[in-house]
Amino acid sequence: MKNILIGIFIAINLFGAPRVGDEAVKFQLPDLYEKHTLLQSKQLKGKVILLNLWASWCSGCQEEMPLFVELQKEYPKIEFEIVLSSIDNIPQSARDFLAKVDKERVLTSIYDEDKTLPKAYRCPGMPSSFLIGKDGNIVAVYVGSLDENGISELNSKIKSLLGK
Amino acid sequence: MLRLTLVLITFFFMGCSEHLVRVMPYEKEYFAQDKMSLSPLGERAEQEGHIYLIREASAGGESAFQGGCGCR
């Protein structure tokens, strides 16, 4: 009986969503603009990352995107990088939207055709953002779109992670 | 003992089955399309509301969660 309960507990933990303090999900996904260029999560180690799971059809995602562009402009990408992971069925929709909001392509964009990241993170809502520390562990999880107040809170967290 | 085990296993697999029927937020692309809304055009929705008001002599019944009795 005890073994069964332990087994169930382990199974739940194994298949549960990653939480704050857990290691971020590893990935290897193509660039949104150049499908032959792959971005691997290990390339991002040593930086503070904001992984944003979004789609062009999601109105909340559309609202927060200009704020992300402004936020990224505050930091060099070697220190802090926003990684957008689009889950659109048609990647061109994501490109078309970003062409309006992020003309300079400030934000790093990858394309997750199979929705592997939202599945792995058990995304409870769209958009979802994960602040990942330099060590690759999740520092904060944001479900839903971030407004200006949310972005300023996020910004202070980024500053503390960068020791600024 | 066996019964308890079976109950626990059933509960465990019920959790798995939820994923078969629940549409996750990241799977709602088709629901987000304009054609999925009851009245895709704003002007048309307004017109439909006006027709409903005249026909039923009540207002506010065009959405799914109100009775349309006009007695609110």
Side-chain angles (χ1 to χ4, degrees):
Chain A
M1 182 62 192
K2 197 178 168 187
N3 288 341
I4 292 168
L5 287 174
I6 290 169
I8 290 170
F9 179 76
I10 290 169
I12 289 168
N13 275 290
L14 276 176
F15 298 109
R19 288 172 294 185
V20 171
D22 291 349
E23 194 182 3
V25 175
K26 291 186 176 77
F27 63 83
Q28 184 180 357
L29 290 164
D31 191 280
L32 180 66
Y33 302 100
E34 293 166 39
K35 65 176 179 181
H36 299 296
T37 309
L38 293 176
L39 179 73
Q40 296 180 334
S41 49
K42 64 182 177 188
Q43 289 171 248
L44 304 168
K45 257 207 168 150
K47 296 178 190 181
V48 174
I49 301 296
L50 184 76
L51 176 67
N52 176 248
L53 309 182
W54 77 288
S56 64
W57 48 263
C58 153
S59 54
C61 310
Q62 292 175 357
E63 282 170 24
E64 67 180 1
M65 207 56 79
L67 300 172
F68 283 156
V69 175
E70 294 307 312
L71 181 66
Q72 181 62 82
K73 282 179 181 171
E74 286 183 39
Y75 298 94
K77 273 194 175 179
I78 201 157
E79 287 183 349
F80 169 70
E81 191 166 352
I82 297 177
V83 179
L84 305 177
S85 176
S86 164
I87 58 154
D88 281 83
N89 287 343
I90 304 162
Q92 191 56 44
S93 314
R95 286 185 213 119
D96 290 344
F97 173 71
L98 287 175
K100 292 177 211 156
V101 183
D102 183 20
K103 286 174 190 164
E104 298 160 49
R105 290 195 190 173
V106 171
L107 305 170
T108 304
S109 299
I110 52 176
Y111 179 51
D112 186 4
E113 186 178 11
D114 298 324
K115 302 171 181 43
T116 50
L117 287 176
K119 280 176 191 167
Y121 280 108
R122 300 270 176 98
C123 242
M126 286 289 291
S128 287
S129 302
F130 301 86
L131 185 64
I132 299 164
K134 288 179 182 178
D135 55 358
N137 290 342
I138 301 167
V139 177
V141 179
Y142 303 94
V143 179
S145 64
L146 288 162
D147 57 6
E148 281 170 4
N149 292 333
I151 290 285
S152 68
E153 271 177 41
L154 170 67
N155 204 352
S156 58
K157 268 190 184 159
I158 295 163
K159 278 182 181 148
S160 73
L161 286 171
L162 293 171
K164 286 188 175 178
Chain B
M1 180 64 187
L2 182 67
R3 255 186 231 167
L4 185 63
T5 312
L6 284 171
V7 168
L8 284 173
I9 290 170
T10 310
F11 272 108
F12 183 71
F13 282 107
M14 273 166 68
C16 298
S17 67
E18 189 197 12
H19 296 286
L20 299 175
V21 292
R22 196 170 145 203
V23 180
M24 298 303 283
Y26 50 86
E27 295 170 330
K28 292 185 178 169
E29 180 158 359
Y30 296 115
F31 291 113
Q33 289 175 0
D34 286 345
K35 66 184 174 192
M36 294 300 283
S37 62
L38 292 173
S39 290
L41 302 171
E43 301 81 30
R44 193 174 148 191
E46 197 180 329
Q47 189 190 11
E48 279 174 0
H50 180 69
I51 292 167
Y52 190 89
L53 172 67
I54 293 164
R55 193 181 64 197
E56 302 291 329
S58 66
E62 59 267 23
S63 69
F65 59 91
Q66 291 164 351
C69 61
C71 53
R72 285 181 298 126

